[in-house]
Every structure is written in structure tokens, then in C-alpha cells.
Amino acid sequence: MFNVNQSDLDFIFESAGESVSVNEEDKRAIVSRSPLKDSEHRYIHTIDKINRGDVVKYADEPYLIVSETVSKRGGKYKALMRHCNFSLKIPGGTEKVLLVDANGKPILDNRGRPQYTTIDLPPIDVHAIVDNKSFSLEGNQIRVENNQIILMVQDNPTNRELLVTDHTFQFEGTYKVVHKDFTQKGLMIISCDKTTG
């Protein structure tokens, strides 16, 4: 094909690009509209590598990259991202911490052992795409049964640990994780059934 002048491309991204956050890291990107769909989709163009499953914060809204980005196109990466229409709030759990005095020294009991207290950790926000009628990903469509939803989230160690089978969460009622699909590298596609509890 043709070679792209990297300095010209850098100039274009610096002058026409916008600041976005990709997995909580600041990047320059050019974001453009995609054809009109039933949910918000946008194309993202970057010089730095981006991957399917990356969470992009654009215009103060979370998006999930849903297309594969293996190689550059015209000297840049291009991907399709979809707006995350739901944020799961997963309890952060607890942590045992050492009690210290005003000088930062450990507080000891009458036997000289350090004292600990248990604190509640803040909840973890997991940005997700939720669909309850049919779910389409790059031409493949999954039919969803009544009282079932599909969640699409970033595949990362935290989400794998938290969103285990039988985990329940609130979304217009209580739902339970029943199946996880990892066939789309970078994404966890989770089938959830509505429960009565």
C-alpha cells in the first residue's frame, strides 16, 4: 500500500485528537460516529495499541471496545466501541488494618500484640453492556430467553474473581450469573437469569 509519515500522523492526533482515558490511562484519540444503531457506538482511532475489552472514558461516559484490533490501519489503530449502559456495583469486601496511634506507631494490647480493625472497602464499579432481547457482536447474534440478560464486561482478573457462577446483582430485579463465555478475547460475555430472591 503506502507508508504513512509518522510525524504527520502525530500532528493530526495532537491537533484534531481528544483526550480520552483507556483503562484509566490518558491517551490522545480521534473519536468518530458509527452508523446509527439501537445503542451508542463510536469508532476510536489511536496511535497507541488498543485492544478489544479496553474500557474507554470518552465525554465522561464509559465505553467498551468490542472489535478486535490486531494491526494498524493507515498507521493507526481503529476499533468500534459501545457505550456501557450499566455499572455493576460490587461490594468491595473488607480489609484488616493495623491500628496506629497519632505518631504512626502500632497500638498494642496488654500482651504486646498489635491491634487490628476491619474496614469496609469501597464498592467496585464494573462498567458493562446489558442487553435483554437479543445480543449482537460483529454479525453473530445470540438470542436471549425471557427473564435472562447478557452482560458484556472487560475480561480481567478482578472481573473473573468477582463475577463467578451464582454471583447475584441488582438490575431491575435480582439476576444470577449462570454462564461465562470467553471466546471473544478481551471480553467476558455473561449469561444471567432473573431470580425470585
Side-chain angles (χ1 to χ4, degrees), residues 6-183:
Q6 191 61 47
S7 62
D8 289 346
L9 197 56
D10 290 341
F11 175 77
I12 291 168
F13 272 83
E14 193 54 43
S15 58
E18 303 175 66
S19 278
V20 299
S21 166
V22 178
N23 298 327
E24 299 183 0
E25 187 178 325
D26 291 337
K27 302 273 185 191
R28 293 296 286 178
I30 296 173
V31 178
S32 59
R33 294 194 180 273
S34 71
L36 190 60
K37 298 184 181 191
D38 61 349
S39 59
E40 173 96 10
H41 288 73
R42 292 189 180 258
Y43 291 113
I44 181 169
H45 310 259
T46 62
I47 293 173
D48 298 323
K49 178 87 169 107
I50 51 177
N51 298 294
R52 181 168 47 202
D54 286 349
V55 175
V56 176
K57 191 83 174 242
Y58 169 70
D60 291 326
E61 291 291 331
Y63 289 78
L64 194 59
I65 294 180
V66 295
S67 65
E68 192 172 48
T69 56
V70 176
S71 58
K72 288 186 174 185
R73 299 174 183 196
K76 61 180 176 50
Y77 292 97
K78 179 181 179 181
L80 183 66
M81 60 184 190
R82 184 172 168 190
H83 181 252
C84 296
N85 60 354
F86 182 61
S87 184
L88 270 83
K89 292 229 182 275
I90 298 177
T94 59
E95 182 180 10
K96 201 173 181 181
V97 294
L98 180 67
L99 288 173
V100 293
D101 63 18
N103 297 320
K105 293 186 179 185
I107 297 174
L108 307 175
D109 67 9
N110 57 2
R111 292 186 175 172
R113 296 177 297 197
Q115 294 294 294
Y116 292 88
T117 187
T118 302
I119 60 167
D120 291 325
L121 297 173
I124 298 168
D125 283 330
V126 178
H127 300 298
I129 297 168
V130 178
D131 205 323
N132 68 347
K133 293 184 177 64
S134 65
F135 187 80
S136 179
L137 185 62
E138 294 190 47
N140 300 325
Q141 192 170 49
I142 302 167
R143 293 281 177 210
V144 180
E145 301 293 328
N146 289 339
N147 296 321
Q148 190 177 57
I149 61 173
I150 300 291
L151 284 180
M152 186 165 46
V153 299
Q154 181 181 54
D155 181 10
N156 62 41
T158 301
N159 290 348
R160 281 188 183 222
E161 180 183 328
L162 296 174
L163 297 170
V164 296
T165 302
D166 293 332
H167 171 79
T168 58
F169 62 93
Q170 296 298 311
F171 176 78
E172 304 294 324
T174 303
Y175 282 85
K176 176 174 71 170
V177 173
V178 293
H179 181 279
K180 294 184 284 186
D181 177 352
F182 298 99
T183 58

